[in-house]
Amino acid sequence: MIAYAPAAFFLLLCGIGVLRDRRRFSNAVLLGIAVSLLSLALLAELRRAPTLVAELAVALIALLPTVGTVALVWFLLSNGLTMIRKEGMRPANLLSLLAGLGILAVIALFAAAVVTGSGRIGILAATAMLVVGYVSFLFVCFVGYAFLYQRHRPRGDVDFVVVLGSGLIGGERVPPLLASRLERGREVYEKQAARGNPPVLITSGGQGPDEKLPESHAMADYLVERGFPAERLVREDRSRTTEENLQFSKVIMEQAKPDYHCVIVTNNFHAFRAALMARKTGVTGQVFGSPTARYYWPSATIREFAAVFLAHKLVNLGICGFLAACGLFAAVAGG
């Protein structure tokens, strides 16, 4: 039982963090550490297992990284090509492809070290693996906790439903991605209204340089054209970023009801980062995600993780820089 104590300790810390505020990235890291320690404890239990079971388990564990890496690279590359075919060559659409190529580059570095027998290349490859391992651990924490966060559903009465904007087609039409958010917002509104307390729905989004009208106006028009009551709509039309969406919507809500509670609606891949930002801006409410096309999810999730990673760049880039400097020092010293 002692072997499980560290995992239980970090799981307890995660639970306390969730009770305090589920909108914390530290909860994701604590959960990741707890699961990692639990996995190590379970591996230690293999010593007590029958010989055949232990050997099969060891073989499976040995094969898993290889098979998993091959599958991951194939998935990232194929998804990257799908994104280019369906969404174009914009930088944001290349993330899954670049991630797959990056993993291949690290593998190639290890292969070069083995083929050449160079200790220096081997050290550089190991350093690259440490950096990739650190980033990968945070990414898995992010994806795992984001998945759990998305299982949360609004409970109790809310005063406002805030739907975040995401750009318009041709500068004036609501695209499928944004329509998904609006339909989810309508769903939350209707469930609340059925209990006799209809909330106000805030469409949030300003006018970009290539748009003919503010996103919030196009969003409101979309809903009204489909039977949504216009008197329950408020347009927040000054924001240009997600943070401004939340800040300006917060002002509207506080002016109407200082002790408000709200639900923020965005796409599922964006829900956890929006929740982190809602906490940062002091918005009293949780985030609810709407469905996204499967092919779009990987690149969008990588983009969201990169934004969260860079939001804590002092710590994350510091650790990556430290690992890289140690590897460089070892390579120079070994040379």
Side-chain angles (χ1 to χ4, degrees):
M1 293 299 295
I2 295 177
Y4 296 98
F9 173 72
F10 280 98
L11 187 60
L12 176 63
L13 291 179
C14 177
I16 293 172
V18 170
L19 290 175
R20 290 177 61 192
D21 193 337
R22 63 171 56 91
R23 304 170 303 172
R24 293 172 177 262
F25 187 63
S26 58
N27 296 338
V29 176
L30 290 170
L31 180 61
I33 294 174
V35 171
S36 299
L37 291 172
L38 177 61
S39 300
L40 292 175
L42 291 173
L43 287 175
E45 291 294 322
L46 288 177
R47 295 176 301 177
R48 304 177 185 177
T51 303
L52 180 59
V53 174
E55 290 176 349
L56 289 174
V58 170
L60 180 62
I61 292 169
L63 285 173
L64 190 59
T66 301
V67 175
T69 300
V70 171
L72 178 62
V73 169
W74 177 84
F75 172 76
L76 290 172
L77 294 178
S78 62
N79 177 257
L81 295 175
T82 300
M83 282 292 292
I84 292 172
R85 187 173 68 254
K86 292 191 174 186
E87 301 290 335
M89 285 286 291
R90 292 182 300 169
N93 298 333
L94 302 176
L95 291 177
S96 56
L97 179 64
L98 292 175
L101 293 175
I103 295 173
L104 283 178
V106 174
I107 294 173
L109 195 59
F110 268 104
V114 172
V115 171
T116 62
S118 170
R120 180 174 293 178
I121 296 178
I123 292 173
L124 293 176
T127 302
M129 183 59 73
L130 283 175
V131 174
V132 170
Y134 172 74
V135 176
S136 298
F137 172 75
L138 292 182
F139 180 73
V140 171
C141 291
F142 175 82
V143 172
Y145 190 81
F147 175 81
L148 294 175
Y149 183 87
Q150 290 170 33
R151 306 281 74 73
H152 167 75
R153 294 292 183 268
R155 296 178 181 177
D157 290 344
V158 295
D159 306 295
F160 298 92
V161 178
V162 181
V163 182
L164 305 183
S166 68
L168 303 174
I169 295 176
E172 59 183 339
R173 290 186 293 112
V174 170
L177 195 73
L178 184 52
S180 173
R181 299 183 185 188
L182 291 166
E183 293 301 334
R184 182 68 85 193
R186 179 210 290 270
E187 176 187 324
V188 176
Y189 170 87
E190 290 176 347
K191 287 183 178 179
Q192 178 80 54
R195 297 201 293 264
N197 185 25
V200 172
L201 191 148
I202 300 176
T203 54
S204 180
Q207 183 172 352
D210 59 343
E211 294 176 333
K212 299 177 182 178
L213 74 166
E215 293 172 13
S216 59
H217 291 209
M219 295 160 68
D221 292 345
Y222 173 95
L223 289 170
V224 171
E225 288 169 3
R226 287 158 179 78
F228 193 92
E231 67 275 10
R232 304 305 298 173
L233 282 169
V234 172
R235 298 163 176 81
E236 181 287 296
D237 57 9
R238 295 187 296 153
S239 56
R240 299 293 183 88
T241 65
T242 299
E243 187 168 356
E244 289 185 353
N245 287 148
L246 296 168
Q247 289 173 337
F248 296 151
S249 296
K250 177 186 175 185
V251 171
I252 293 172
M253 292 185 287
E254 286 181 335
Q255 289 176 345
K257 186 176 182 181
D259 59 343
Y260 73 90
H261 286 83
C262 74
V263 169
I264 302 157
V265 179
T266 185
N267 290 93
N268 50 16
F269 65 82
H270 186 234
F272 184 39
R273 185 165 77 91
L276 297 177
M277 204 167 295
R279 178 176 179 270
K280 176 184 175 183
T281 54
V283 174
T284 306
Q286 299 294 337
V287 181
F288 195 24
S290 65
T292 307
R294 290 184 180 180
Y295 78 86
Y296 194 86
W297 185 87
S299 285
T301 301
I302 293 172
R303 184 177 69 243
E304 295 298 305
F305 168 72
V308 173
F309 183 88
L310 293 175
H312 302 84
K313 56 180 173 292
L314 186 62
V315 173
N316 290 324
L317 295 182
I319 291 174
C320 290
F322 174 76
L323 293 173
C326 288
L328 183 61
F329 176 79
V332 172

